[in-house]
Amino acid sequence: MNSIVELPGDSWTQAVPPDVQNRAIEDLEQGRVLFFPRLAFTLLPEEEAFLKPEWGAGGAKNISFERETGKIWGATGSEAEKTALSRMLRRYADSTREFLQNLFPTYAASLLQARTSYRPIEIAGRPSSYRKDDTRLHVDAFPSRPTGGRRILRVFSNINPEGKPRCWRVGEGFREYAQRFVPRVSAPIPGSRFLLSLTGITKGYRSLYDHYMLGLHDQGKLDIEYQKQSPQEAFAFPPNSTWICFTDQVLHAVDSGQYLLEQTFHLPRAALRHPELSPLSVLESIVGRPLCASSL
Ligand code: SIN
Ligand code: FE
């Protein structure tokens, strides 16, 4: 299926040669995962203490950090320890930002940096509701965080110190997946999306695009036959490697792994080289109507 492409590069800060930039943007926008086997996020000696699952408060899957405000969520520890953990996450936020600016110069002016996340818990064997179960193939769409058609671009780095890979599966292309599940997504109830934003359930207005993306996410995860039988490729990302993809386009699932750093960026459709390949354009062509009020 060729959904994962290997690229050279072992530095977060060095310039990226134009031929690599060109291959990277083409493969990324086609819906492939860019895999950098030698791009390691190396912890500082004082950061190694954070390689324990106990840092997640109450067994939370994610410790989240917001670079803009310096806020951290979901972590245990004293104020001093949380400050030290925030410093590590800020370092990751800065490294991934610089790397993406080098790798995708045409995106640089439009990239919006969102949450940085640290996942210190083993994935395998974690109980979870079907909606939150990321061991089922899905594209990312979050009930409380509508994107309004903006892309979700994510950078992942496996920082496992015990040699354990992060094991993913990648499914069929976005168009095939959307064509299969769009007919199962019910039309939104008039007024309901406005109410959701008015009551603060969603952060901002859930556009029709967000409605369909959430529907695809839920219907895909609910279809056990599809989960078992659909075409999929397994891939183990080793420790000290990094990978990047549009998680709103790449059908993905994680089976196992522990100690992952992840940085989310958003990007408007207009910043893409091939806007027609975006989930927004693909869904609009399937549904036959515009799905966002503003033309992104
Ligand atoms: C996901 O985005 O579904 C989870 C990826 C991971 O934690 O490896
Ligand atoms: Fe996901």
Side-chain angles (χ1 to χ4, degrees), residues 119 134 138 166 168 252 254 260:
R119 303 179 186 164
D134 289 339
H138 64 283
R166 190 116 186 145
W168 272 33
H252 62 284
V254 57
L260 178 85

Side-chain angles (χ1 to χ4, degrees), residues 61 119 134 136 138-142 154 156 168 217 221 247 250 252-254:
K61 184 186 147 197
R119 303 179 186 164
D134 289 339
R136 302 184 194 204
H138 64 283
V139 291
D140 284 349
F142 306 105
R154 289 186 147 172
F156 302 89
W168 272 33
H217 171 276
K221 278 188 174 177
T247 55
V250 174
H252 62 284
V254 57

Side-chain angles (χ1 to χ4, degrees), residues 193-237:
R193 291 171 295 128
F194 179 63
L195 268 180
L196 284 171
S197 78
L198 211 61
T199 52
I201 293 172
T202 53
K203 205 172 153 221
Y205 182 65
R206 186 185 290 171
S207 65
L208 269 177
Y209 170 74
D210 292 294
H211 172 82
Y212 278 102
M213 288 298 283
L214 210 52
L216 293 185
H217 171 276
D218 291 358
Q219 291 301 322
K221 278 188 174 177
L222 271 174
D223 188 334
I224 302 299
E225 248 346 83
Y226 179 77
Q227 290 292 331
K228 280 197 215 134
Q229 309 291 350
S230 64
Q232 45 197 283
E233 184 179 352
F235 196 85
F237 296 99

Side-chain angles (χ1 to χ4, degrees), residues 15 23 46 53 88 115 126 135 167 171 197 252 254 266 270-271:
R23 272 160 55 205
E46 66 269 25
M88 172 174 112
R115 298 281 170 86
R126 269 188 93 241
T135 69
C167 295
S197 78
H252 62 284
V254 57
H266 294 296

